[in-house]
Amino acid sequence: TQLLEQSPQFLSIQEGENLTVYCNSSSVFSSLQWYRQEPGEGPVLLVTVVTGGEVKKLKRLTFQFGDARKDSSLHITAAQPGDTGLYLCAGTDSNYQLIWGAGTKLIIKP
Amino acid sequence: DAGVIQSPRHEVTEMGQEVTLRCKPISGHDYLFWYRQTMMRGLELLIYFNNNVPIDDSGMPEDRFSAKMPNASFSTLKIQPSEPRDSAVYFCASSLDSDYGYTFGSGTRLTVV
């Protein structure tokens, strides 16, 4: 069974701090996606990474795909209360199935 | 485009009743997915369709669950009879293909009492 493990499961920090969320697996993925989900809504796609070592930036968010395409990280610089939400990673496996992590619940306190 | 549209947003029903959840995917998206989300189990894929054809329903919990996609713009997920353990948020999502990412609807929060 392929698994995507996210860490930490829960993170509560002050506004202005930096943070990193990790998504790890023993399996190789052809692509990996990051989503943010706010209460009462569905997940919203933030980014897709497809190349090993790829780095993508979305304003204060930096996404990196591991060289071996087995892991990924999301770094947020100067976190703001609007960044609060559940962050989910999902990888496309060799059978074109999307494997989901359990999510990191992030709270940014003003 | 209005995105993926799900109805109803909330549903409260009594155990044993039939429940039908509805979804309108984004026009042009060939893939449609039904997910269930709970605190304990996270996001679980129930079934997905490609060009209106069910491809993988291995995630459907049991025979009480059924899904249809009669045309490219409409899908239903039916639970009959419903049970309290079916209480969850049910999401519909559509996609051009998995590498493009999914667009999710706002979900249906189902409570079975």
Side-chain angles (χ1 to χ4, degrees), chain A residues 31 33 35 37 40-42 100, chain B residues 9 35 37 98-99 102 106:
Chain A
S31 68
Q33 301 158 19
Y35 293 79
Q37 184 178 19
E41 297 297 328
W100 291 85
Chain B
R9 284 298 308 269
Y35 278 90
Q37 188 176 39
S98 59
D99 282 347
Y102 297 179
S106 297

Side-chain angles (χ1 to χ4, degrees), chain A residues 37-43, chain B residues 9-10 37 89 91 105-109:
Chain A
Q37 184 178 19
E38 298 185 15
E41 297 297 328
Chain B
R9 284 298 308 269
H10 303 274
Q37 188 176 39
V89 181
F91 288 104
S106 297
T108 295
R109 180 173 293 276

Side-chain angles (χ1 to χ4, degrees), chain B residues 21-59:
Chain B
L21 312 181
R22 297 172 176 79
C23 175
K24 176 179 168 55
I26 290 176
S27 177
H29 281 191
D30 294 332
Y31 290 83
L32 184 140
F33 306 84
W34 281 102
Y35 278 90
R36 178 170 67 178
Q37 188 176 39
T38 61
M39 289 288 289
M40 291 296 292
R41 302 172 70 91
L43 268 172
E44 300 175 279
L45 176 65
L46 300 176
I47 185 172
Y48 80 93
F49 296 83
N50 179 212
N51 292 319
N52 314 338
V53 176
I55 303 301
D56 184 357
D57 65 353
S58 59

Side-chain angles (χ1 to χ4, degrees), chain A residues 36-105:
Chain A
R36 179 170 64 216
Q37 184 178 19
E38 298 185 15
E41 297 297 328
V44 175
L45 180 67
L46 296 174
V47 77
T48 301
V49 285
V50 296
T51 305
E54 182 177 4
V55 176
K56 281 191 173 179
K57 292 193 175 185
L58 187 66
K59 297 183 181 178
R60 295 175 293 98
L61 279 60
T62 301
F63 304 85
Q64 184 163 9
F65 202 11
D67 291 341
R69 291 185 288 135
K70 294 181 179 181
D71 55 86
S72 181
S73 63
L74 158 60
H75 182 79
I76 301 179
T77 303
Q80 299 178 1
D83 296 327
T84 292
L86 177 69
Y87 288 80
L88 294 157
C89 65
T92 303
D93 69 8
S94 56
N95 295 316
Y96 302 101
Q97 300 298 307
L98 200 61
I99 309 298
W100 291 85
T104 293
K105 187 171 183 179

Side-chain angles (χ1 to χ4, degrees), chain B:
Chain B
D1 201 318
V4 176
I5 300 173
Q6 290 187 248
S7 64
R9 284 298 308 269
H10 303 274
E11 178 80 40
V12 180
T13 191
E14 291 185 345
M15 182 173 64
Q17 296 297 306
E18 177 179 297
V19 175
T20 300
L21 312 181
R22 297 172 176 79
C23 175
K24 176 179 168 55
I26 290 176
S27 177
H29 281 191
D30 294 332
Y31 290 83
L32 184 140
F33 306 84
W34 281 102
Y35 278 90
R36 178 170 67 178
Q37 188 176 39
T38 61
M39 289 288 289
M40 291 296 292
R41 302 172 70 91
L43 268 172
E44 300 175 279
L45 176 65
L46 300 176
I47 185 172
Y48 80 93
F49 296 83
N50 179 212
N51 292 319
N52 314 338
V53 176
I55 303 301
D56 184 357
D57 65 353
S58 59
M60 297 285 260
E62 43 197 274
D63 292 345
R64 297 184 296 107
F65 286 68
S66 62
K68 294 182 180 179
M69 192 166 185
N71 57 62
S73 60
F74 184 66
S75 178
T76 59
L77 177 67
K78 186 177 293 186
I79 308 173
Q80 166 63 22
S82 58
E83 297 182 3
R85 60 188 166 132
D86 301 330
S87 297
V89 181
Y90 290 79
F91 288 104
C92 175
S94 69
S95 176
L96 284 170
D97 71 50
S98 59
D99 282 347
Y100 282 93
Y102 297 179
T103 302
F104 282 79
S106 297
T108 295
R109 180 173 293 276
L110 174 65
T111 303
V112 183
V113 298

